[in-house]
Structures are given as C-alpha cells and as structure tokens.
Amino acid sequence: MANSGDFNPITAAGYRDLQHKIAALEADRPEKIAILAEARAHGDLSENAEYSAAKRDLRHLESQLRFFNKQLQYAKVVDPTNSDVVELGKWITVAFMDDNDQETYQLVGTQEADLDAGKITRVSPLGRALLGHHPGDTVTIQAPNANYDVHIITVSLTAPA
C-alpha cells in the first residue's frame, strides 16, 4: 500500500478534469483502432504510410491514457477549509511590492497548473511561499533569478467576480 507521501494533492475540479480527459480518450480509442485495422488491410505494411500514422496515433492515445490514469491513481483530492489561510484550492489576490501590480491566482496541484488561467502550482516559488499565510502578510518569494516580495490582499474559496 502506498503511503500518504506517494499521493499528489489535487483540487476536486482538477480531479474531474482528469476524469473527463480519460473519458474523451477512451471514447476516441475504438475509432483509432478501426483506422489502424483499415490501414493494415491495405497490404504491405513496410511502405504503408497510412498504417504507420494510424499506429503512431493509437500509440500516442494509449500513452496519454496511461499517463492520465497514473495521475488519477496517485491523486488525492484536497478540500480547502473555510478559513483565510492560503492552501490548495484557494484563490489568492496579491500585490507585487516592486510595482504594486495586483494579480489573483488559484493555488492548485502540480498537474493542474495553468498560468494563463491564473492557476499556480503549490510547488512553484510563489505558491510555495504563499502556503500557510494569511491576508495582510507580506512574503518573500525566492525565484531562480531574484527574490521579490508580495503582499497578500485576500484569500477566498471562490474566484473574485
């Protein structure tokens, strides 16, 4: 049996997203298999580009399925508490002290990170520094190229409107 250190924390939304990705791939699988079978029926496999492409596509789909299933297998859904502490799943608005620019991020598991969507991982320099802090705290982020400070403005269970 795996110990708790073997699991990857994930939000409930991230877990559902993984389930949807797996379901979509499983739905595409029969079509990929049929395309491969049809291409195989065309004869000489050594010079059959259609067969090679179909085989590659099916292999890629199978690889993605294994990857997402492993992520799901080792995922542990973490429900954030109704408090003002920064933890996985919470939305945090911060002000960067160097230019007072404000940004809002959601702290998520590593497999959910998407900076364009404002989702930062708990193991990123910013996410790691914010964990466990409260609104009003100023924290120093130790980034690879320089250190910088941010001031935590709000911590919430839901995205700001």
Side-chain angles (χ1 to χ4, degrees):
M1 170 117 184
N3 68 42
S4 62
D6 293 337
F7 290 96
N8 294 318
I10 188 171
T11 65
Y15 192 87
R16 283 190 305 274
D17 187 46
L18 277 175
Q19 289 176 315
H20 289 124
K21 287 177 181 178
I22 290 168
L25 288 169
E26 287 174 344
D28 287 346
R29 195 168 184 244
E31 180 184 352
K32 300 279 186 197
I33 291 170
I35 291 170
L36 180 63
E38 183 180 323
R40 178 179 221 136
H42 291 157
D44 186 5
L45 300 182
S46 65
E47 295 182 19
N48 188 336
E50 186 180 336
Y51 172 77
S52 296
K55 188 174 171 183
R56 183 185 61 243
D57 288 348
L58 182 59
R59 215 174 22 241
H60 180 69
L61 181 141
E62 297 288 349
S63 175
Q64 286 183 306
L65 264 175
R66 279 190 304 277
F67 177 74
F68 291 138
N69 276 314
K70 279 291 184 195
Q71 283 190 326
L72 207 59
Q73 179 182 352
Y74 289 99
K76 179 181 180 194
V77 175
V78 175
D79 293 318
T81 61
N82 190 12
S83 69
D84 69 349
V85 67
V86 175
E87 57 189 353
L88 195 75
K90 299 264 183 95
W91 290 88
I92 306 102
T93 300
V94 297
F96 291 86
M97 301 303 286
D98 56 353
D99 61 5
N100 213 26
D101 186 31
Q102 289 188 14
E103 293 289 337
T104 300
Y105 302 104
Q106 184 183 25
L107 196 59
V108 296
T110 53
Q111 58 273 57
E112 303 172 80
D114 181 354
L115 195 54
D116 292 335
K119 295 180 177 189
I120 61 169
T121 177
R122 64 187 182 82
V123 296
S124 68
L126 179 58
R128 191 171 46 246
L130 292 173
L131 267 173
H133 286 278
H134 303 270
D137 290 353
T138 298
V139 295
T140 300
I141 288 69
Q142 297 178 347
N145 294 330
N147 293 344
Y148 59 95
D149 294 327
V150 297
H151 182 76
I152 301 172
I153 300 169
T154 61
V155 176
S156 172
L157 284 170
T158 58

